[in-house]
């Protein structure tokens, strides 16, 4: 015997194939007035996990400028909810909200799920989604910046430099989620990201603790070695898009003893941006390794990054 659908279920509301994104979930308001939209599906693709984002908006009247946070993890791992272990989430989130900025934390497809440019497609899709639902979130769609660390720093730099008019721009914009729309940003904070994939792939990878088997991140990102896919390696390199890009302001923060992504990677990008007439600040963290290991204090690094975004996105002082 066939059962009827529950009364609350309306077949007329169903679509097939499933929609490429979902509308925002209802927010939860904390006791301090911060509104939280948790686990919003900004893009779906058959065969892949849904891509999710969280939105935190400050207490008070919006619309607020927003920063899109992009996690690291060698493009192989990581989670929108967790900054690197050296940076407490309460510090990062609290500093952003206290400055009058909304925080959008995003997941993206890892490289063993899909090679480049899938990761950039997802970042672009998240930016389109935030603009599409800016009124729901209480965000100003004209004041969006990006901030990422490690692999996320690389993707933030690409998001700031790649547009529809870039070389292969249409292919790099992608059509995930909200399939079209503006993905430009007003400012970029890049913590120790790769800027030249070809050069970075030649840098020896450090030994993993206990001899753990970890995929080569560049081979996973490209689907092969950089020498085997030189065109894709160049396409994945932010420095390749600086010339003629009219870049937004950049803050590059990098440990001078980074054994995973050499400090020279940020020097290369800073030089290119400066040569193109862009505004760029290169901030060395003396004697710090990757994820700022060895830095005497993390709070000043976060504070400078938030102040940079506040200045360029027009948030309150």
């Amino acid at each position: 015997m066939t059962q009827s659908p529950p009364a609350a279920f309306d077949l007329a509301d169903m679509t097939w194939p499933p929609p490429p994104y979902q509308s925002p979930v209802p927010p939860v308001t904390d006791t301090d007035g911060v509104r939280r939209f948790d686990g919003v599906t900004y893009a779906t693709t058959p065969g892949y996990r849904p891509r999710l984002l969280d939105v935190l908006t400050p207490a008070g009247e919006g619309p607020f400028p927003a920063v899109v946070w992009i996690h690291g993890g060698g493009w192989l791992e990581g989670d929108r909810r967790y900054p690197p272990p050296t940076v407490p989430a309460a510090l990062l989130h609290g500093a952003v909200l206290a400055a009058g900025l909304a925080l959008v934390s995003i997941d993206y497809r890892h490289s063993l799920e899909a090679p480049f440019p899938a990761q950039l497609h997802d970042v672009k899709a998240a930016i389109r989604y935030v603009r599409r639902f800016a009124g729901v979130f209480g965000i100003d769609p004209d004041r969006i910046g990006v901030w990422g660390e490690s692999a996320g720093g690389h993707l933030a730099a690409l998001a700031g430099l790649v547009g529809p008019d870039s070389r292969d721009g249409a292919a790099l914009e992608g059509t995930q989620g909200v399939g079209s729309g503006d993905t430009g940003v007003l400012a970029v904070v890049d913590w120790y990201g790769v800027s030249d994939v070809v050069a970075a792939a030649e840098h020896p990878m450090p030994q993993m603790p206990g001899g753990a088997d970890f995929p080569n991140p560049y081979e996973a990102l490209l689907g092969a070695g950089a020498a085997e896919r030189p065109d894709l390696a160049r396409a994945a390199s932010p420095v390749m898009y600086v010339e003629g890009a009219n870049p937004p302001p950049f803050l590059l923060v990098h440990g001078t003893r980074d054994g995973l992504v050499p400090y020279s990677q940020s020097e290369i990008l800073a030089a290119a941006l400066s040569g193109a007439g862009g505004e760029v600040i290169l901030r060395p963290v003396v004697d710090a390794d990757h994820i700022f290991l060895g830095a005497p204090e993390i709070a000043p690094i976060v504070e400078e990054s938030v102040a940079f975004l506040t200045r360029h996105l027009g948030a309150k002082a």
Side-chain angles (χ1 to χ4, degrees):
M1 179 177 178
T2 303
Q3 293 183 333
S4 299
F9 184 82
D10 188 349
L11 288 174
D13 292 334
M14 289 190 65
T15 61
W16 191 263
Y21 57 86
Q22 301 288 338
S23 297
V25 298
V28 173
T29 303
D30 293 345
T31 55
D32 57 3
V34 171
R35 291 199 309 158
R36 297 175 170 270
F37 298 81
D38 293 324
V40 179
T41 300
Y42 74 84
T44 63
T45 307
Y48 297 93
R49 61 192 167 100
R51 267 81 78 209
L52 306 180
L53 58 78
D54 300 334
V55 178
L56 301 177
T57 56
E61 293 295 323
F64 300 99
V67 55
V68 176
W69 168 261
I70 311 171
H71 71 77
W75 310 284
L76 285 158
E77 57 184 359
D79 188 306
R80 71 188 187 280
R81 298 169 294 178
Y82 308 119
T86 49
V87 183
L91 170 64
L92 182 73
H93 297 178
V96 170
L97 293 168
L101 296 166
L103 179 66
V104 181
S105 303
I106 71 169
D107 284 333
Y108 53 88
R109 281 171 289 177
H110 294 154
S111 55
L112 292 183
E113 294 178 90
F116 185 83
Q119 296 71 34
L120 180 57
H121 287 171
D122 289 348
V123 172
K124 294 280 191 176
I127 295 169
R128 287 193 295 264
Y129 186 92
V130 170
R131 284 204 164 98
R132 168 69 176 79
F133 292 102
V136 177
F137 293 133
I139 285 173
D140 185 340
D142 296 323
R143 294 189 290 165
I144 296 176
V146 287
W147 180 2
E149 62 94 16
S150 195
H154 161 263
L155 294 172
L158 282 172
L161 292 168
V162 173
D165 296 329
S166 303
R167 176 175 56 86
D168 297 327
L172 294 172
E173 286 286 307
T175 58
Q176 297 290 312
V178 178
S180 62
D182 180 17
T183 62
V185 297
L186 294 185
V188 178
V189 176
D190 173 359
W191 281 1
Y192 46 86
V194 169
S195 62
D196 184 340
V197 172
V198 176
E202 296 174 351
H203 181 70
M205 295 295 296
Q207 291 293 319
M208 297 299 293
D213 185 17
F214 195 81
N216 181 288
Y218 302 103
E219 293 178 4
L221 180 69
L222 303 175
E228 300 170 80
R229 305 203 67 181
D231 290 345
L232 188 60
R234 286 190 291 270
S237 299
V239 73
M240 298 299 296
Y241 301 97
V242 173
E243 186 176 354
N246 189 24
F250 268 70
L251 172 63
L252 307 174
V253 190
H254 208 134
T256 59
R257 293 194 177 183
D258 194 323
L260 187 61
V261 178
Y263 178 71
S264 59
Q265 285 287 306
S266 284
E267 291 181 308
I268 291 168
L269 184 55
L273 289 165
S274 180
E279 177 182 343
V280 57
I281 298 171
L282 173 58
R283 184 70 67 221
V285 183
V286 178
D287 292 338
D289 201 340
H290 205 63
I291 67 171
F292 303 135
L293 284 169
E297 292 184 275
I298 298 298
I301 300 172
V302 173
E303 290 164 4
E304 181 178 11
S305 301
V306 171
F308 177 86
L309 291 163
T310 300
R311 185 164 66 253
H312 291 290
L313 299 181
K316 70 180 183 182

